[in-house]
Amino acid sequence: MGILGCSTSAPPLIHFAPKTAQIPLKKSNTQEESSDSLRNLVQDKCPSLFTPFEPTWWLNNGHIQTTYSVFADISQVDSVWYRRQNLRLVDGGTLGLDFAPIDDSALRDDTPIVVILHGLTGGSYEPYIKSILTHVIKPVDKGGLGYRAVIPHSRGCGGVPITSTKFYSAGGTDDFRQALIYISHRYPRAILLGLGFSLGSNIMTRYIAQEGEKCRLSSACVLANPWDLAANSDIFSMRVCSSLSGTIIGRNVYNNALGTNLMNVAKQHHKALMADPSLPIAKALEPLMSVAQMTLTNFDKVFLSQVGGPPPQFPYATVNEYYNAMSSHECVGGITIPYLAINSADDPVVQYVPMHGAGNGYAVMVLTSGGGHLGWFNDSSGKDRWTTKPVLEWLQLMGEGVVCQAGGERGHKIILWEDGFLRNEGGNDDLGCQECEGGGLINGNAGVEGLRKGL
């Protein structure tokens, strides 16, 4: 369905398939094996999901919620530090995985791990991540879940260096796939709970559908998934809009901010991307740098649709072909794990949400009346977001209430090759990872110079 405006006091629209999946439950010593429908479990264990979003009066529309998320100085809210582990990939690239808490010595090796994917140009410092993560890692005796969390960064994001002539794309899943190999190898007995934000939601959804029964995640929750990238591009390029003012804001605020952030990431790593001037990615940088007004659409048209991945998939003839190939709105039917998707009806960036859930019994589709894009602020403190409680309830249900296989038991067997790289047995030989230099303690309250948060 398309996104429609509605009262911010209305309860969320929640869609379950006519017949939801039966989920096996953990049992106590006195219980026999049992199961329950996903619908019953969510209704019983995630009560906050059914409560209205009721923000303070001046945060009452999607544009204000979204701009507040981007421009408000809430970086010191939910303070957290991480321990970063850098990974070298077979293609020479580098991934940075930020783990929390930094001292996990008291946690068991089978403690659930929340694996988090950030937005377009974000990182572990993003307030929308920390608003949930701080409660995830807080000890149980202090009111938290007492889990581990890890944020894999896209290449060049969050201060992670680019060490190869490869960037990242809107829907590429191989880097996430390689990060999960490492996490599952390091903690083979831990179940992995997925949590995605914005573009990270798109990538996570695509990975889950691609892997099917081999997916290393045992469940997923995705927030503000952009779903249909071509539909979002329409609102930016004035082909479709609900109002003139909406088009002006779309073109001159959101599209510009998203494109400028991407451009600044490319500039920060210009030297590495230009290491071999004969490669297509180096040749694509020159016209990119000459674009007069950088927008997300222009960046994707000139650069990512051409060199966002290896041939034969790339290059694409048009930016819309690229968007159609990288979108996730047609992936919901292929999901085989419990999956919760939360979007906002007044999100000015996301133009379409597949509320039907493709009839998939594993999918729970939620549309709140307000919240903007990655906002959902109840007030201006930055500490209180509507999404925090329902997401934590979902994570606890999936981490403690249901029977799940650990990440090391799900998916392909992990093999350590003679070259020192971890790979999936029988998988793509070009995909693999090993620990490398760099990393250390990371201040989760700092951010990256030149990049706006909240995107």
Side-chain angles (χ1 to χ4, degrees):
M1 64 177 288
I3 301 290
L4 300 175
C6 53
S7 169
T8 53
S9 62
L13 297 175
I14 302 180
H15 174 82
F16 297 93
K19 184 177 181 181
T20 57
Q22 285 293 122
I23 309 297
L25 304 178
K26 289 185 177 178
K27 62 179 182 177
S28 67
N29 293 333
T30 60
Q31 290 178 321
E32 296 182 355
E33 291 185 3
S34 63
S35 66
D36 203 350
S37 71
L38 184 59
R39 177 196 289 266
N40 288 345
L41 290 172
V42 170
Q43 290 175 336
D44 181 40
K45 301 298 183 181
C46 304
S48 298
L49 194 64
F50 299 84
T51 61
F53 170 63
E54 298 177 318
T56 189
W57 67 270
W58 67 272
L59 285 169
N60 65 349
N61 72 62
H63 292 303
I64 297 175
Q65 285 275 336
T66 303
T67 54
Y68 190 79
S69 178
V70 174
F71 294 105
D73 183 12
I74 53 175
S75 59
Q76 301 308 307
V77 175
D78 299 315
S79 178
V80 65
W81 284 76
Y82 301 95
R83 190 175 301 278
R84 176 167 294 177
Q85 176 61 62
N86 281 349
L87 302 180
R88 183 59 36 79
L89 306 182
V90 173
D91 66 10
T94 300
L95 299 182
L97 277 59
D98 286 2
F99 287 87
I102 56 174
D103 181 7
D104 65 351
S105 58
L107 298 181
R108 294 160 46 118
D109 62 356
D110 62 352
T111 298
I113 301 175
V114 181
V115 184
I116 303 171
L117 289 187
H118 59 74
L120 180 68
T121 53
S124 59
Y125 55 82
E126 291 286 2
Y128 58 74
I129 287 179
K130 295 189 296 175
S131 68
I132 295 173
L133 178 140
T134 51
H135 299 280
V136 167
I137 65 173
K138 187 185 299 183
V140 174
D141 60 5
K142 295 183 178 180
L145 296 185
Y147 296 172
R148 290 184 177 90
V150 58
I151 301 95
H153 288 76
S154 297
R155 301 184 189 219
C157 290
V160 177
I162 286 184
T163 56
S164 69
T165 53
K166 184 178 179 181
F167 206 58
Y168 64 96
S169 70
T173 57
D174 280 344
D175 285 353
F176 184 45
R177 188 170 281 107
Q178 291 170 101
L180 289 174
I181 291 174
Y182 176 78
I183 297 166
S184 299
H185 176 76
R186 179 167 168 174
Y187 297 102
R189 298 185 63 234
I191 61 173
L192 306 183
L193 311 173
L195 177 60
F197 295 87
S198 192
L199 192 70
S201 296
N202 188 68
I203 292 170
M204 184 171 288
T205 300
R206 288 171 55 81
Y207 163 80
I208 295 167
Q210 289 170 1
E211 290 296 294
E213 298 294 339
K214 297 293 186 181
C215 176
R216 294 195 182 277
L217 302 176
S218 62
S219 70
C221 174
V222 298
L223 282 68
N225 189 348
W227 298 107
D228 186 343
L229 305 183
N232 301 333
S233 176
D234 286 343
I235 197 70
F236 291 149
S237 63
M238 294 184 72
R239 288 193 291 273
V240 176
C241 78
S242 57
S243 67
L244 179 61
S245 62
T247 299
I248 292 172
I249 293 174
R251 284 170 57 83
N252 297 318
V253 178
Y254 307 124
N255 203 7
N256 183 274
L258 292 165
T260 300
N261 258 20
L262 268 173
M263 185 64 171
N264 287 339
V265 173
K267 286 180 176 178
Q268 289 169 0
H269 302 283
H270 181 269
K271 185 176 180 180
L273 296 172
M274 288 289 294
D276 186 344
S278 68
L279 292 178
I281 196 166
K283 295 177 180 179
L285 277 172
E286 184 175 350
L288 181 69
M289 297 299 169
S290 65
V291 174
Q293 182 181 9
M294 185 49 62
T295 63
L296 175 61
T297 307
N298 285 339
F299 190 95
D300 290 340
K301 179 180 180 180
V302 175
F303 193 67
L304 284 184
S305 65
Q306 303 303 299
V307 293
Q313 185 177 15
F314 288 81
Y316 287 93
T318 68
V319 69
N320 263 12
E321 286 188 16
Y322 165 73
Y323 287 149
N324 289 333
M326 297 291 113
S327 295
S328 61
H329 61 292
E330 295 183 349
C331 296
V332 183
I335 290 171
T336 58
I337 59 174
Y339 177 88
L340 173 64
I342 304 176
N343 283 87
S344 168
D346 66 359
D347 188 329
V349 175
V350 180
Q351 297 303 302
Y352 171 79
V353 177
M355 286 298 293
H356 52 73
N360 189 336
Y362 284 103
V364 182
M365 310 298 293
V366 178
L367 189 69
T368 61
S369 56
H373 189 72
L374 293 178
W376 287 291
F377 294 103
N378 288 321
D379 58 41
S380 59
S381 68
K383 297 180 180 179
D384 186 13
R385 302 195 194 213
W386 178 89
T387 42
T388 300
K389 287 184 179 179
V391 171
L392 289 172
E393 289 168 354
W394 169 270
L395 292 173
Q396 186 169 31
L397 168 62
M398 295 301 154
E400 301 173 33
V402 305
V403 176
C404 299
Q405 281 186 302
E409 299 170 349
R410 299 177 62 93
H412 301 274
K413 182 179 180 181
I414 299 172
I415 303 295
L416 177 61
W417 282 35
E418 292 182 359
D419 60 5
F421 286 94
L422 296 168
R423 290 180 173 89
N424 282 331
E425 184 178 44
N428 185 345
D429 292 354
D430 293 331
L431 301 182
C433 59
Q434 61 180 200
E435 294 182 352
C436 68
E437 71 284 350
L441 291 180
I442 299 295
N443 182 358
N445 315 301
V448 175
E449 186 176 355
L451 298 182
R452 291 203 176 277
K453 298 177 183 178
L455 298 173

